[in-house]
Amino acid sequence: MKIGFIGLGSMGLGVARRLLKAGHELTVWNRSSEPVQALVADGAIAAREPAEVLQGELLFSLLASDEAVRAVGLDGPLLERASAGLVHANLATISIELARELADAHASRGLGYVAMPVFGRPEAAAAGELALVLAGPPSAIASVRPVLSAISKTQRVLGERAEHANLFKIAGNFMIASTIETIGEAYSLLRKGGVDPAQFYELLASTIFASPVFKNYGKLILDGKFEPAGFKLPLGLKDVNLAREAATQLAGALPIAELLEARFAQALKRGWQDKDWTAITALDD
């Protein structure tokens, strides 16, 4: 298939490489040139401007925030230059409000839109082992299905409302952030009591907490391995705030999110913007 890709951060780069390996024709654009050149060396085509990646059958985007999506013009202006019938699969974690707006903007122009946020860290993206959550018109989802096996091992379709996929992802990231904080607090308690957290991790990771989140993040926190970041701390704060915003819009309450927002903000005040989001567990060291 002829596919365009916008947003080549550590996650996007891995996904794009999987699409190339699967034999798709890939045109790429990114604000910084380094990842573009790396993909060109792998066989991709470098776009001179964002509009050039909207000339194929599919567009994948994985941008960092609502603001980045709007800056590129995917909420309207750029769509005017898309090829007829283009289907856009948005892999980013964005607000439920923008998800609704994007779905309407694409539909009004006769374009397909699939909200397709991803679960997984850069190593999972590179291995094609992401978990995807999809929502959008059945015809648009059918258009992206042929490429899903190249980039993911699990997919879940939630229906036609794009914001449902993004709310699903926001809730999932909120749970991960909460788990990170809980693991850090538990390790701190053990150390203060003279108990080795490594033994705690080894037992729980093989028994009652034998899950990818505890195994992966528990080990990162145990080792204090916060750089290079798989998911940078500012993105963690962004996702916690997306959860808080969604709760406000839906008349819900997320008291733990209030605590997490304070923890992430404190970490950023220390200049930890390039550290992994698990670095919030080092605040009390």
Side-chain angles (χ1 to χ4, degrees), residues 81-93:
R81 302 174 66 183
S83 61
L86 176 77
V87 174
H88 174 197
N90 185 357
L91 285 72
T93 305

Side-chain angles (χ1 to χ4, degrees), residues 1-3 18-26 43 58 146-147 150:
M1 298 181 75
K2 188 176 180 181
I3 303 173
R18 294 294 304 180
L19 293 171
L20 280 172
K21 289 179 181 178
H24 299 289
E25 180 183 327
L26 194 67
L58 297 179
V147 306

Side-chain angles (χ1 to χ4, degrees), residues 60 70-71 96 117 131 142 151 167 170 228 273 283:
F60 278 71
R70 294 187 190 281
I96 58 175
I151 64 174
L167 183 60
I170 289 166
Q273 62 271 9
L283 284 170

Side-chain angles (χ1 to χ4, degrees), residues 83-87 104-112:
S83 61
L86 176 77
V87 174
D104 291 343
H106 286 71
S108 69
R109 294 167 172 80
L111 306 174

